[in-house]
Amino acid sequence: MEPTADDGYGGFDRAHRVLAHVRVGMGPEAIAVDVRRRRAFVACSRSDAVTAVDLVRMTPLWRARVGREPIPLIFDAPTGRLFTADARSDTISVLDAATGEPITRIAVGAYPAGLGYHPRLRRIFSGDTAGSTVTVVDVDRLEPIAAIPAGLGAGSIAIDLRRDRGYCANFMAASLTVFDAATLRPLDRIAVGRGPCKTVADPATDRLYVANSLENTVLWLSLADGRIGGRFTVERAPVGVAVSRDGHHVYVCNRGAGTVSVLDARAGAESHRIRVGYGPGDCVVDPATGRLLVSNAGSGSLTVVDRPWLPGPEPPARHPAVGRPLPGFALPDLHTGRIRTTREWAEKKYVINFFASW
């Protein structure tokens, strides 16, 4: 659950705050959090690396090389391992999350650009964009065990843990492939908007959210029956989505606008926007603090936002004279003695002299 605006702040400060912009590497995308160790891990697609960040000091801890163009990232708490899909290497790199030391690489389908995770079934699902498949990997044996047919541009994968269902966003097919995460059978195909780029399951509201990057919308559907329930309009190119633990707020990274849209799920409308870095690609909510972590692909940074569910700071008070015509005056120029008038001010002939003599 998110704290209220008054928790720990005496009811005075009712605005979110950007606490830090941590440099992590080139092209940061997916983020994972180790709650116990207070660390965040960021897949840096243009650095071919994963960077670990200390969430207390807000500084980088280590950087580990992986395959080419890592985009999605999964943290497996029971084993303390990181899994990142390296899109241009057609592999999943496995790292020791404590040290960044490499463990192995697992071959998957062509251009893996999305990962889903089922902790109880001990499986990771790789959305293979160029292969139109979902490769299933055993988390403990560290080997592929099956491939599920998906749609063109298979990528982001969300898992409904209550029903053991997977949802793979097919970017070029404008659809979701639904599959059984236990039996690995395809179940359904659901048409969504153009360019579905990220899909996230929210257990608190029993909803699935889909960011349609080519339509500048986020839609949600019911996990119970698969029916589309609503749609939000956001800013340009939404590509990342995260949901608060209570399901009340949805955070959407607008890559083309440098903002995060905060959606009020209960009201069905956008609440406010948070200005972050350039090209925000993905975001997560830190379960321990409720802070929002945003990766900025264009800035090479991780932005940390405290109390993101609150609107921004109040703008400074505007003086009542701003925007009104300048009152008439006639003042002597201290250098020449000449009388300067409102007309001369308006014509901008003597602005420099006026300020120098005032």
Side-chain angles (χ1 to χ4, degrees):
M1 300 288 287
E2 290 176 334
T4 65
D6 292 339
D7 284 352
Y9 298 96
F12 295 108
D13 191 350
R14 297 178 178 271
H16 67 258
R17 288 287 184 269
V18 174
L19 300 182
H21 297 287
V22 185
R23 299 291 299 179
V24 291
M26 295 188 295
E29 297 289 353
I31 311 163
V33 176
D34 181 347
V35 176
R36 186 177 67 85
R37 290 179 179 267
R38 305 304 304 130
R39 291 180 178 180
F41 307 98
V42 187
C44 300
S45 63
R46 300 303 177 214
S47 295
D48 298 337
V50 172
T51 299
V53 175
D54 186 318
L55 289 176
V56 178
R57 297 180 177 86
M58 297 187 194
T59 55
L61 291 169
W62 51 254
R63 180 180 295 178
R65 297 284 296 183
V66 291
R68 292 188 298 161
E69 199 174 341
I71 299 175
L73 186 64
I74 296 293
F75 172 63
D76 179 47
T79 61
R81 292 171 177 168
L82 290 168
F83 296 78
T84 179
D86 312 315
R88 295 180 62 197
S89 295
D90 301 340
T91 59
I92 291 178
S93 291
V94 186
L95 302 175
D96 184 320
T99 64
E101 290 298 315
I103 295 173
T104 190
R105 286 192 187 176
I106 305 167
V108 291
Y111 204 88
L115 290 178
Y117 173 54
H118 198 309
R120 178 170 50 80
L121 294 177
R122 309 300 297 146
R123 289 172 178 172
I124 281 178
F125 302 88
S126 169
D128 308 321
T129 301
S132 301
T133 57
V134 174
T135 299
V136 186
V137 173
D138 187 296
V139 172
D140 298 310
R141 299 193 334 237
L142 301 179
E143 61 183 22
I145 58 175
I148 304 170
L152 191 62
S156 175
I157 297 174
I159 304 295
D160 176 5
L161 299 178
R162 182 182 303 175
R163 301 171 182 85
D164 292 340
R165 288 180 190 162
Y167 294 81
C168 178
N170 304 309
F171 184 86
M172 287 172 275
S175 67
L176 299 175
T177 293
V178 188
F179 61 89
D180 190 310
T183 66
L184 308 181
R185 293 184 300 108
L187 298 176
D188 198 5
R189 182 74 61 88
I190 301 173
V192 291
R194 292 181 298 117
C197 196
K198 185 65 182 286
T199 180
V200 173
D202 176 34
T205 59
D206 213 26
R207 290 180 175 183
L208 184 81
Y209 291 95
V210 183
N212 297 314
S213 61
L214 301 183
E215 291 187 351
N216 303 332
T217 61
V218 174
L219 65 80
W220 67 267
L221 54 83
S222 167
L223 287 170
D225 58 23
R227 294 182 180 178
I228 294 176
R231 192 181 305 262
F232 300 86
T233 298
V234 292
E235 288 200 284
R236 297 187 302 277
V239 295
V241 178
V243 185
S244 63
R245 295 185 69 184
D246 59 11
H248 291 170
H249 295 95
V250 182
Y251 304 101
V252 184
C253 294
N254 302 308
R255 187 159 221 151
T259 61
V260 172
S261 290
V262 183
L263 311 180
D264 187 325
R266 292 169 295 186
E270 183 181 68
S271 167
H272 58 280
R273 294 171 185 168
I274 303 171
R275 175 65 57 181
V276 290
Y278 296 118
D282 209 353
C283 58
V284 299
V285 176
D286 180 352
T289 63
R291 290 173 176 171
L292 185 69
L293 311 179
V294 184
S295 62
N296 305 298
S299 302
S301 63
L302 179 72
T303 296
V304 181
V305 184
D306 193 27
R307 296 166 291 154
W309 58 91
L310 297 178
E314 289 292 327
R318 185 176 181 180
H319 193 280
V322 173
R324 297 179 60 186
L326 193 68
F329 64 85
L331 296 172
D333 187 317
L334 294 183
H335 292 281
T336 66
R338 180 176 173 178
I339 301 298
R340 304 299 187 185
T341 66
T342 307
R343 179 184 178 88
E344 289 177 321
W345 170 272
E347 294 176 355
K348 300 182 180 179
K349 290 182 178 178
Y350 301 103
V351 173
I352 295 176
N353 287 337
F354 177 80
F355 276 106
S357 62
W358 179 248

